[in-house]
Structures are given as structure tokens and as C-alpha cells.
């Protein structure tokens, strides 16, 4: 692993190696990096959890993190992403986390610049560390992904998570089903009735309704969406005993998920965020060590 | 002290313990924290002095500080403050300083989240570390607050400082008087003639005229305000010999205070800012040690 | 050297001392600072390369860097630059890098505040660390500046670089010529035909066309400008063998320079950015050590 831009870069073995290293970090392992490194996190779209999660991971690895304010950088003067990254390479940055609204932004970078590139989310395309933390959370729960039934529910066509997760989960042996209204399924096959999958799911992974990506003519009111595709208290009661609830956040309370369920016993929502730090530590350390 | 959200949380003994620890830090004491901690400063309103003062205090305590850009966070996607704080808790933040425009924002957090919450200013409500640094500055000057006459002058109804200070100073034995135009006294008793209090005050604490909180129909021109309620050169000459001038900043030169007085012999304005760092170190250390 | 605000502050000997210290840092020398210092970088105008270059230099010198968000500071409440700097002095900042749109902003600060002031670019006036890194890059190439012919080409009247460089390069023995359209030469003597200087230049230093400072009625289309004053592939072929191309960045590809030339053999563009870190380390260390 030389960079991480998409889950398709990773074999099943590599995914499991990340998961196991994340678990070691969770248990208190300390960084094996032998040099001092400098990183920067370039977030061209708003983010709290992913940006601060990477920042925490980097600090825990004793990496020096330079601040980068995307809203105040030379990209405002029309500089291309490639040119910005070459500048950062020149001043001595070893690795970059980048979130960018353009799908596959990294194609202009991989193989052309020296710093490690880690994709922190590109447009509606990939968000590989989110997939990895989801996989880690499921593995932590069940010890395996083999034959686990995972229902990904909601705004499938606009979700980075759905795309990133679909192939990886399947490759690890899970059975993935998308559940959404017909107009939101994009290129995916999907089940259009949430109630069909409740009892049979080991994992119900709710997606955020992306208000900011729809253009205002969504055919649902919040109440109607909650009724038809939200995880309601009533639906939660029908889930099987061992099954869990996940959500990548940020969530819309009482839209895709009932407010009371956010911190219920089945919910792994904040656990996912904890796991994100360990997974990111694992990814960064593995890539940097691999280049040493 | 488990959090610090309001001066009413603190007994007179606790206030004096903070002051004395601040003095030790000023004299060069080093942090007694036995673990490494991570903090973040969440400022949802503009600030230079308070934010950087906390940041400096944290660095001097060897605390790791994660950057948080409020203008670029998931609160833009409609996330509640509680949910944002739960995210930060999940990624492992130990303590948070929060400034927020909403009065008593902390009520949704205290007792419900793990990180320490320190109020960096809420709406027109509280600003406890400002009160503590004011108290420290007065104590440093006179060795006591007992019977000291403190006149708080200006935009009383919009001032966090006035509210936070009123009770605490009184509890420590000081005699506090508010001085302002009738339309700005809010729920406070106030003297409406500045000239009545000049000679008798040990401390004249000027407040910032909060242009940005008035709605444009202030009844004063800057010149008229300066004449009626500003600390003019003429008024300063009538102050008694040992008395001092304070201002929480940022100040409007030649509105609430004559520009020439900002750095005059009586002025403790920049001393207050120095003291702010030590007081904040004391508060953070005491809370974190108390939880160890 | 007590501050660095303009190249005219520096003698030729001081310039060469900075260059030689920068070279030592490039070769791996480590900081000789005997105390721990705290700095802040105040950029009131957008910047990636200069801000991050300073930040990297400071970190490499083991200096603690406090974040400062200019778009979110008390300057929004109308605070003067002097008052903001006095606040930072009070909280204990040792040195400041400031970029500000106002020419000679530093005149209100030098001799009046304690922190070291390093000019990171003022209006269209000075940008001394850019000049120093340019000089270092030329020195690195030729071992001397004596008799080197340097053509500075482009938007001369709006360029900080042109002003800062003009005198310093000349003082070090270089022969400096400005090349630009008549309407852009400001107070400088200039050659108005680029083709006249190609073959005779040791260094062709292209300037950025400052779209954001022109008011929309520029008399050139991008294509016309590229044809008349851009460094085209055809012009590059006519440069003499040992000569080099420089550009302070950020560059407009295919406006002032052909995209293919950015990383050509003659280009020192990204080398300049590397050198910027070492030059800034040298400046900061020399000033701080001088004050110890």
C-alpha cells in the first residue's frame, strides 16, 4: 500500500491487516515509525469528524501536522490541485489527507507527486477510511464478516459510503443489500421496502439524507421519509437480538433515524467514530512504514 | 470543579485557589499533570484574545491541541452542539473550551458528555475565565478584594463580563457599582452619571461598546458617548492615586476610553491579558487533576 | 537584525549570512536556539506557500506555533493591527510573521511592540523572505550573483517580488532588468520587448499576472499576453545553456509561462519553494538568537 485512494486498491488480506493493526492500536500499541514525519489535512469540503479523526490519529503517531485552511489558500487564486500538492511536496510534507468535491481528484496526483495521498472523501465516489472503520466495527462485533447480512439504507446514490462499502464488504464475504426509494438507488440494485429487511439483517447501516446535495425538490417531507425509510423505534424492536445499528454521521435526528436510537444498546454510531482513529492510525503507519 | 461554565459554580475558596495557582504559574511553576491530554477550542464567534489565550495556556501545560474550524465544521450540515461534542468525545478529546452565541449552551452538555467543558463565553451570559482574570488582576494590585470599590462602566446589559463579575466580586467582599446610560442597564441597578463615581473608585472597569450587538439605532454618536460615559483624559486625572483602569478588550479607542489612556500608568489592560493565560492554566490544570 | 520588514534593512553581508545559514540547514544543521519560543503567523491575505513554508520552518526549529485565523479574529470587531499585536505580546508570543494588504503596515509596530516582526508580504511593497529565497536559489546555481543578468518579466507594478528584489539583487552585483508592457511598469524603467532579453539572461524570473489586482479592463487576453510576454516553449529554446527559469508562484499555466516549462530542466520553481523553508529557518533563528 503506497497510497490509499479507493477500497479497490486493497486486497482482502490488506483490509484484514489494517483491521488487526487498528485493534492493536486500540489495545494500546504505540507507533513503530522510525522517522519524524510531517502531514497536512486538506479538506476542501466541510468536515468535523473525518478531519479531526485524522488529526487525532496523526498526533497519536507523533506526526507533526501543519494546518491548511482551504478557504484561504492559493486555490482561491486559481491554482490547480496538482500545483498546490507540488508546493506542499517542495516544502517537505510527507503525506496528505485530501477531501475534495471532485470525483477521482487523486488521478492527477498518484504516481506524479512524492507525498503519500490518502483519500478523505472524493465527491460521491470513495471514502476508504470510512469503509475500513465500518468493516472494523462489524469485525469487532462478530469476529468475521462471512455471511453477515448488511442492509445499507437511505440515500444510496449520493453516498460515498455506499460506493466504498459495496465491493469491500462483499469481498470479505458479507451479503450486502441496498434499501432506498427507487429515485435514490442510482446505478445500484436496491430493495424499495425497508420493512422487508429488518428481521434478517445483522447490520442496519443507515445513511445520511444529504439535504445539501439534493436540489430542493425531494419528493419526501422529513416525516414521510422517517415513516417510510427511517429507523423508527418500532422497526428497531423487530431487529434480531444480536444485530447492530450503524451510521457514518453526521446524522439527521428523526429523519433517517429516531433520535432515541442514536445511543441505544444496539447503536455502534459513536463506537464507529472511536474506531475511525485507530483505523486511520493503522493506514497511515502502514503506508509510511512501507515507504521507509 | 469538574467543569467551568459559570462563576456561580465556584465558591470564594475555589476562586482564591485558582488565583493562587495562577500566581504560581506566573512565577514559573510548571504543570503537575501526570498524563498527556488532548483539547480543542470551539469558538463559534470571532475571538482573538480569548482563543489564543486558552491555546497558549494549553500549550504551556503540554496539552495537545487539535484545531477546530467552526466555520467549516459539520454544524454547517445542521448537527447539534451535543452531537458535535459526542463526536469529539468519541475521537478521544479530554477537554473542550466552547464559545457559543447561545445563552447557557452548556446545559445540553453538562452531565451528558465525558469531556471537561470550559465556557469561553456564552451569548450575553457568562464568561467565567474573564471574571477570574479580572479578579486576579485586582488581587495582584491590592492583595485583597475586601471593600474595594469597583465601577463597571458602559454597555452593561450586553456584557458577559458584567454578569459574570457582578456576583463573584461581591462574594469576595468588593463593592460593585454599574454605571451606564439608563437604556443600557438591563436588569441591573445602575448609576447613570459617570462623574459621580470617578473619585471614589479603586477600579474603573470599562466595558466595550458592543456595536455589533446594537441594531443601529443607538442613541449616541461616538463623540457623545465618549463625552458622557467614556474614560476621558480629564476623568482619569480625577481618579485617586492608587486606583486602576481595566478593560476586557477589544476596546474602541476614543469611544469608551481615550486612546492615550490605553497604556497609561494606571492601565492594567494588557496586564489583564497576561493574567488570562495564567488563570486559564490554573483552571484547566485544576479540573484535569481533579478528574485524574 | 532585530526584525525583518524590508530588504533595505539588510546589508550585503547580512544577506550572505542568511544564505549561508540556509545552506547549512539544507545540509542538515539543527537549530541552535537555546530557549523554547512561541510564534504565530498572521496572514490577512490568502496564502498557501508562504504561510505553510513559514510554518514548516518554525516547526523544524522546534518553535511552538499558535494558530491565528485572520478571518475570525477581533480585527472583525474593528481592532487596529497595533492593538491585536499588543494582545499577542501580552499572552507571550515571541515572534510574528505578518502578511497584510496595507503597504508598510509594520510602521505602526516596529520599535513599539516586543515580538519580532517578520514581514510576510505587505500590499505591493515588500516580501523580503521571497527575495532571500530567490537570491539563495541564484547563488546555489552560480555560486555568486556578481554580473549575473536577471530579467524580471511581467506584472512589475503590482509585484511585491519586483520591488523587494530590485535593490537587493543589484547590491549583490547582479544586473537586473524589468521586462513588461508599458502600462505595467509602474515607476520602474523597463524593456517592453521580451524577445530582446531571452538570449542574454542568466535568470528569467517570471512574475504572476495578478488577475485579482487588475480591475477587469486588462488590455490583454490570456493568449495575447502569453504570446507577447509569456515564457513560451519557443522562447525557452533560445535561452542560453546555463540559464534558469524562476517564478515565485502561484503561477498561471499558459499565461505567463507555458505549462510544459513548469517542471522542465531549467526550471527552479519548486526548488525555490524548497529553499524558502531553509531561508526562513535562517532568518527566524538569526533574529531570535540575536535577541537572546
Amino acid at each position: 500500500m503506497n497510497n490509499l485512494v479507493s477500497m479497490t486498491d486493497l486486497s482482502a488480506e490488506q483490509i484484514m491487516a489494517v483491521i488487526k493493526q487498528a485493534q492493536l492500536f486500540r489495545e494500546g500499541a504505540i507507533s513503530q515509525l522510525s522517522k519524524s514525519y510531517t502531514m497536512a489535512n486538506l479538506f476542501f469540503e466541510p468536515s468535523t469528524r473525518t478531519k479531526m479523526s485524522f488529526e487525532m490519529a496523526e498526533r497519536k503517531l507523533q506526526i507533526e501536522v501543519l494546518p491548511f485552511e482551504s478557504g484561504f489558500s492559493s486555490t482561491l487564486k486559481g491554482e490547480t490541485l496538482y500545483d498546490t500538492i507540488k508546493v506542499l511536496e517542495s516544502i517537505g510534507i510527507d503525506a496528505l489527507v485530501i477531501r475534495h468535491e471532485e470525483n477521482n481528484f487523486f488521478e492527477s496526483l498518484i504516481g506524479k507527486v512524492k507525498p503519500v495521498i490518502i483519500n478523505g472523501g472524493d465527491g460521491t465516489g470513495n471514502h476508504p477510511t470510512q469503509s475500513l472503520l465500518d468493516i472494523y466495527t462489524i469485525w469487532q462485533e462478530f469476529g468475521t464478516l462471512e455471511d453477515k447480512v448488511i442492509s445499507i439504507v437511505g440515500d444510496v446514490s449520493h453516498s460515498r459510503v455506499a460506493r466504498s462499502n459495496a465491493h469491500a464488504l462483499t469481498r470479505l464475504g458479507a451479503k450486502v443489500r441496498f434499501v432506498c426509494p427507487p429515485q435514490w438507488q442510482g446505478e445500484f440494485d436496491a430493495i424499495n421496502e425497508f420493512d422487508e429487511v429488518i428481521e434478517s439483517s445483522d447490520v442496519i447501516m443507515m445513511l445520511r439524507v444529504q439535504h445539501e446535495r439534493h436540489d430542493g425538490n425531494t419528493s419526501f417531507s422529513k416525516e414521510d421519509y422517517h415513516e417510510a425509510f427511517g429507523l423508527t423505534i418500532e422497526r428497531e424492536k423487530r431487529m434480531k437480538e444480536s444485530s447492530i445499528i450503524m451510521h457514518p454521521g453526521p446524522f439527521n435526528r428523526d429523519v433517517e433515524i429516531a433520535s432515541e436510537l442514536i445511543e441505544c444498546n444496539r447503536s455502534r454510531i459513536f463506537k464507529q467514530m472511536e474506531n475511525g482513529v485507530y483505523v486511520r492510525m493503522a493506514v497511515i503507519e502502514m503506508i509510511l512504514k512501507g515507504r521507509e
Side-chain angles (χ1 to χ4, degrees), chain A residues 1-2 33 284-292:
Chain A
M1 198 169 26
N2 236 333
L33 293 171
I284 293 167
E285 196 199 53
M286 287 170 75
I287 296 177
L288 289 175
K289 273 193 77 68
R291 288 189 176 203
E292 267 177 5

Side-chain angles (χ1 to χ4, degrees), chain A residues 18-129:
Chain A
V18 171
I19 297 319
K20 281 168 184 171
Q21 184 58 45
Q23 179 64 20
L24 291 177
F25 282 130
R26 176 178 266 283
E27 291 164 4
I30 57 168
S31 163
Q32 298 299 312
L33 293 171
S34 58
K35 297 200 309 168
S36 62
Y37 289 97
T38 307
M39 291 186 65
N41 303 312
L42 280 56
F43 279 68
F44 295 94
E45 292 193 318
S47 166
T48 303
R49 68 205 69 232
T50 306
K51 186 163 188 286
M52 293 194 83
S53 177
F54 269 113
E55 186 100 23
M56 181 66 94
E58 291 151 6
R59 305 285 186 109
K60 286 193 171 204
L61 292 171
Q62 314 289 342
I63 291 168
E64 196 78 30
V65 189
L66 293 203
F68 176 86
E69 294 173 69
S70 69
F72 209 58
S73 76
S74 291
T75 51
L76 293 182
K77 299 183 186 169
E79 193 172 60
T80 65
L81 184 62
Y82 173 82
D83 290 336
T84 299
I85 304 310
K86 287 295 287 185
V87 172
L88 300 179
E89 173 187 316
S90 301
I91 67 172
I93 300 270
D94 299 296
L96 292 159
V97 177
I98 306 176
R99 168 172 291 187
H100 199 283
E101 62 184 358
E102 199 186 314
N103 286 0
N104 302 324
F105 69 81
F106 45 81
E107 286 176 356
S108 66
L109 305 175
I110 297 297
K112 293 166 197 152
V113 300
K114 276 190 219 138
V116 169
I117 305 295
I118 295 172
N119 184 356
D122 67 301
T124 55
N126 301 279
H127 191 2
T129 59

Side-chain angles (χ1 to χ4, degrees), chain A residues 270-285:
Chain A
F270 292 115
K271 190 76 169 281
Q272 286 174 274
M273 294 171 201
E274 282 176 46
N275 288 340
V277 175
Y278 301 113
V279 159
R280 288 169 178 125
M281 289 175 76
V283 165
I284 293 167
E285 196 199 53

